[in-house]
Amino acid sequence: MEYDIAAIIRGYAQGYFLMADESDHLGWYGSKERTLIPLNENFRYPKSLQRVLNQDRFTVAVNRDFLGVVAGCANRETTWISPELQKIYWLLYQTGYAYSFETWQGDQLAGGILGIVIGGLFIGESMFYQIPEGSKVAMVKLVERLRQRKFMLFDAQMMNPHLARFGAYIISNKEYERLLQQALQLPCSLE
């Protein structure tokens, strides 16, 4: 099947996201509100995680094992990352839009965050871990990287208790669209 990468990127740039339903049918979804991870002093994390960060148990990498991160994110009892969506992520990776931000413990992939980058927007599609704290360290290090590279938005799409612990907050779709238009104009790079 042929995919129109430009059309897919346009969909994300308009505030929609791809998800598969229970029968693996892929569709575009929107939301009345959006969850953002703060890229300022409102970003926070549990004190116990600071101890892990101080121990330097993990190293970080970008796209060292993109397919491993996609597989890790999809490896759940119920997943919205269908085989077809995995193929699309691979094409987005090959065209420079999709990234895996990874934590490693030695030669083992500890965890990671799968995301799409368009301008100054990082869309967090999913995250996973194989080693405890692997994805949390990835979150802290990714926020540091996004700040350094002058990204404007870290879109986490939908709120959950895990994201709330990092200071994630909800904005209206109208406000999101306003910020989105500004973020798309920025020339940011994750690498």
Side-chain angles (χ1 to χ4, degrees):
M1 184 185 259
E2 287 292 311
Y3 295 101
D4 183 344
I5 296 300
I8 290 169
I9 291 303
R10 271 196 308 276
Y12 279 103
Q14 289 165 6
Y16 297 99
F17 47 91
L18 283 170
M19 284 175 65
D21 61 19
E22 301 81 37
S23 54
D24 281 353
H25 177 263
L26 203 56
W28 284 103
Y29 293 84
S31 178
K32 289 188 173 67
E33 52 187 33
R34 272 316 237 275
T35 298
L36 300 182
I37 303 292
L39 295 177
N40 58 20
E41 67 283 349
N42 293 328
F43 179 75
R44 62 178 187 267
Y45 48 87
K47 281 190 173 55
S48 58
L49 188 54
Q50 186 59 56
R51 286 192 291 278
V52 175
L53 290 161
N54 291 343
Q55 293 166 353
D56 283 332
R57 292 199 329 239
F58 301 103
T59 56
V60 297
V62 176
N63 292 343
R64 182 169 152 193
D65 186 3
F66 180 83
L67 291 176
V69 170
V70 172
C73 289
N75 184 18
R76 299 198 174 131
E77 234 167 85
T78 40
T79 182
W80 48 269
I81 302 177
S82 64
E84 184 183 7
L85 189 49
Q86 290 182 49
K87 283 185 199 144
I88 289 171
Y89 286 146
W90 177 242
L91 291 170
L92 292 175
Y93 164 78
Q94 291 178 309
T95 51
Y97 289 105
Y99 289 85
S100 59
F101 192 85
E102 307 152 3
T103 48
W104 290 79
Q105 193 168 58
D107 289 334
Q108 188 181 358
L109 180 61
I113 299 173
L114 171 64
I116 294 170
V117 171
I118 312 169
L121 166 69
F122 182 91
I123 304 166
E125 290 285 287
S126 188
M127 60 196 296
F128 87 107
Y129 69 90
Q130 291 182 153
I131 297 174
E133 314 296 358
S135 62
K136 293 178 191 161
V137 171
M139 174 72 86
V140 173
K141 295 296 187 180
L142 174 58
V143 166
E144 285 176 8
R145 174 75 60 102
L146 295 175
R147 284 175 175 161
Q148 287 166 356
R149 302 298 169 91
K150 307 281 190 262
F151 275 77
M152 186 178 163
L153 285 182
F154 183 164
D155 177 5
Q157 297 173 346
M158 291 181 266
M159 182 63 86
N160 64 44
H162 177 68
L163 295 176
R165 291 203 318 241
F166 289 96
Y169 61 101
I170 293 172
I171 62 171
S172 69
N173 197 44
K174 189 174 181 181
E175 176 69 1
Y176 176 76
E177 285 175 10
R178 189 183 68 75
L179 295 171
L180 178 63
Q181 292 315 310
Q182 294 173 25
L184 294 174
Q185 307 306 314
L186 298 173
C188 298
S189 169
L190 196 62
E191 288 190 273

